[in-house]
């Protein structure tokens, strides 16, 4: 999925622990095959190929994932949108961009974006992208989804505790073998080497979106890989967003969404959602947190 997964399990038996890890890897690989927009044989690619042509019958799993993605678009006023993907050709983060895109290119691409143009038919279990050239992809929620699924697989195999870490987006269950809570360190924005504080992660997940990994720089300005689907331009103002909630998929998607929405709107959205918290570091390295974040400075 374009990022490094780390799997930790607590087990009374080392051999069994390794078997469980292999099972988790197989599950993540299975999901990648289903949702990857790069793999031409995936269900997702089939949907994209038939944009503007016809509805495509898909597995219930992918159908439900797309349904949840659309709900997230509604919740975030379109800040999160899996059809942002038609901009992939315009904003490229593989080193092949020579200049920022023209206004014309942006306009052309955003005309093919819109979660309301992803048509779901529950009865027929089909997905139809209404417009030719439309594309969906799961860069902003797939890792979280895969982590959740790997976790539930292991839970179903009676693995008592563990961590599925999908490139920094992670979900945990149970406790360390010692009985202590899993803790996540929050880096001090002014000194990345130092942990600012520790938060216990009990039966829950965390995901971070930031501008420090994938970006391009033109004339000294940094353009991140998180793009406002409504304008077609990378959003500015925030360095990182970490979301804490039960499921990694929700954390992953909301981290991207809040990054796009900005500090004020993002905070107010998260404060309205039960059991969901956020820590935002803005581009002046100022830290903001939702009402429920309580720091434990001495773990
Ligand atoms: P990371 O992959 O670094 O963990 P995110 O979870 O925030 O970061 O996902 C960013 C990826 O999501 C981008 O690389 C792109 O593929 C996709 N994306 C960018 N902007 C949006 C958006 N507004 N809505 C949905 N997906 C997006
Ligand atoms: Mg995300």
């Amino acid at each position: 999925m374009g990022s490094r997964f780390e799997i930790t399990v607590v087990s009374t038996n080392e051999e069994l622990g390794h078997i469980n890890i292999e099972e988790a890897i197989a599950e993540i690989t299975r999901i990648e095959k289903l949702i990857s927009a790069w793999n031409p044989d995936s269900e997702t690619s089939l949907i994209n190929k038939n944009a503007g042509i016809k509805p495509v019958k898909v597995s219930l799993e992918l159908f439900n994932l797309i349904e949840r993605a659309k709900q997230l678009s509604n919740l975030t006023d379109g800040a999160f949108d899996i059809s942002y993907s038609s901009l992939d050709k315009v904003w490229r983060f593989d080193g092949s961009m020579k200049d920022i895109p023209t206004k014309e290119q942006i306009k052309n691409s955003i005309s093919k974006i819109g979660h309301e143009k992803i048509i779901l038919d529950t009865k027929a279990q089909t997905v139809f992208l209404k417009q030719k050239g439309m594309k969906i992809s799961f860069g902003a929620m797939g890792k979280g989804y895969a982590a959740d699924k790997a976790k539930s697989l292991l839970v179903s195999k009676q693995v008592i505790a563990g961590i599925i870490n999908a490139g920094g987006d992670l979900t945990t269950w149970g406790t360390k073998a010692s009985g202590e809570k899993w803790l996540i360190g929050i880096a001090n924005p002014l000194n990345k080497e130092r942990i600012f504080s520790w938060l216990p992660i009990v039966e829950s997940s965390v995901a971070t979106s930031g501008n420090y990994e994938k970006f391009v720089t033109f004339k000294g300005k940094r353009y991140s890989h998180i793009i406002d689907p409504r304008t077609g331009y990378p959003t500015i103002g925030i360095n990182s967003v970490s979301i804490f909630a039960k499921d990694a998929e929700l954390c992953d998607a909301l981290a991207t969404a809040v990054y796009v929405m900005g500090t004020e709107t993002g905070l107010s959205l998260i404060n309205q959602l039960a059991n969901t918290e956020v820590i935002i570091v803005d581009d002046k390295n100022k830290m903001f947190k939702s009402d429920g974040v309580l720091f434990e400075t001495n773990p």
Side-chain angles (χ1 to χ4, degrees):
M1 241 168 267
S3 65
R4 192 189 150 83
F5 278 68
E6 274 178 18
I7 299 160
T8 306
V9 297
V10 174
S11 181
T12 49
N13 173 327
E14 191 170 341
E15 203 183 326
L16 182 62
H18 281 294
I19 293 174
N20 291 143
I21 288 173
E22 289 303 323
E23 288 167 333
I25 293 170
E27 175 67 351
I28 292 160
T29 309
R30 183 189 69 78
I31 292 165
E32 168 150 46
K33 281 211 181 99
L34 178 71
I35 68 176
S36 163
W38 303 111
N39 175 352
D41 302 322
S42 70
E43 285 191 6
T44 305
S45 294
L46 205 59
I47 296 171
N48 289 341
K49 269 183 232 152
N50 285 289
I53 303 172
K54 63 171 198 285
V56 174
K57 170 120 195 210
V58 297
S59 61
L60 186 60
E61 181 174 7
L62 189 66
F63 187 89
N64 289 340
L65 182 70
I66 296 172
E67 195 165 48
R68 294 197 298 280
K70 278 180 59 107
Q71 284 162 0
L72 278 157
S73 297
N74 285 326
L75 182 72
T76 60
D77 283 328
F80 177 88
D81 192 330
I82 54 172
S83 72
Y84 90 92
S85 201
S86 71
L87 282 160
D88 276 349
K89 281 207 191 77
V90 181
W91 292 101
R92 297 182 309 275
F93 300 92
D94 57 2
S96 66
M97 276 181 87
K98 297 285 167 271
D99 204 348
I100 58 166
T102 63
K103 285 206 174 85
E104 209 45 49
Q105 288 174 308
I106 297 277
K107 220 176 106 188
N108 181 33
S109 288
I110 55 174
S111 73
K112 296 176 200 129
I113 297 177
H115 53 96
E116 69 291 339
K117 292 185 283 196
I118 306 171
I119 311 298
L120 297 181
D121 182 332
T122 312
K123 241 193 182 150
Q125 208 171 294
T126 57
V127 183
F128 179 42
L129 306 182
K130 246 173 134 175
Q131 204 171 328
K132 231 181 154 77
M134 263 183 95
K135 249 176 76 186
I136 56 170
S137 67
F138 298 97
M141 72 191 295
K143 277 186 295 168
Y145 176 63
D148 285 338
K149 289 289 283 184
K151 167 179 163 176
S152 40
L153 179 83
L154 294 188
V155 168
S156 80
K157 307 247 173 202
Q158 275 79 47
V159 177
I160 51 170
I163 306 175
I164 312 287
N165 181 348
D169 296 354
L170 60 89
T171 187
T172 73
W173 72 105
T175 64
K176 297 184 203 174
S178 63
E180 292 165 288
K181 293 170 185 166
W182 301 116
L183 293 173
I184 181 161
I186 305 294
N188 180 340
L190 296 175
N191 181 353
K192 294 267 177 350
E193 304 307 308
R194 290 188 52 186
I195 298 294
F196 171 81
S197 100
W198 294 92
L199 289 173
I201 303 288
V202 181
E203 307 299 330
S204 64
S205 308
V206 56
T208 301
S209 285
N211 64 3
Y212 40 80
E213 253 180 5
K214 264 200 254 166
F215 58 85
V216 285
T217 310
F218 295 114
K219 298 195 179 84
K221 224 174 133 186
R222 184 184 278 207
Y223 298 87
S224 89
H225 67 133
I226 300 175
I227 295 174
D228 190 332
R230 301 158 299 192
T231 63
Y233 286 91
T235 44
I236 46 165
I238 290 183
N239 282 350
S240 79
V241 177
S242 297
I243 299 273
F244 303 80
K246 174 116 195 359
D247 294 326
E249 175 191 317
L250 183 69
C251 289
D252 193 359
L254 282 178
T256 308
V258 168
Y259 192 98
V260 171
M261 294 169 101
T263 304
E264 205 178 321
T265 319
L267 269 179
S268 96
L269 170 71
I270 300 300
N271 277 327
Q272 286 170 46
L273 301 177
N275 305 318
T276 310
E277 303 299 338
V278 65
I279 296 176
I280 301 174
V281 177
D282 76 5
D283 60 0
K284 296 178 185 67
N285 281 324
K286 201 165 171 236
M287 194 184 288
F288 300 82
K289 56 190 187 59
S290 56
D291 299 341
V293 176
L294 305 169
F295 285 126
E296 262 187 30
T297 29
N298 288 311

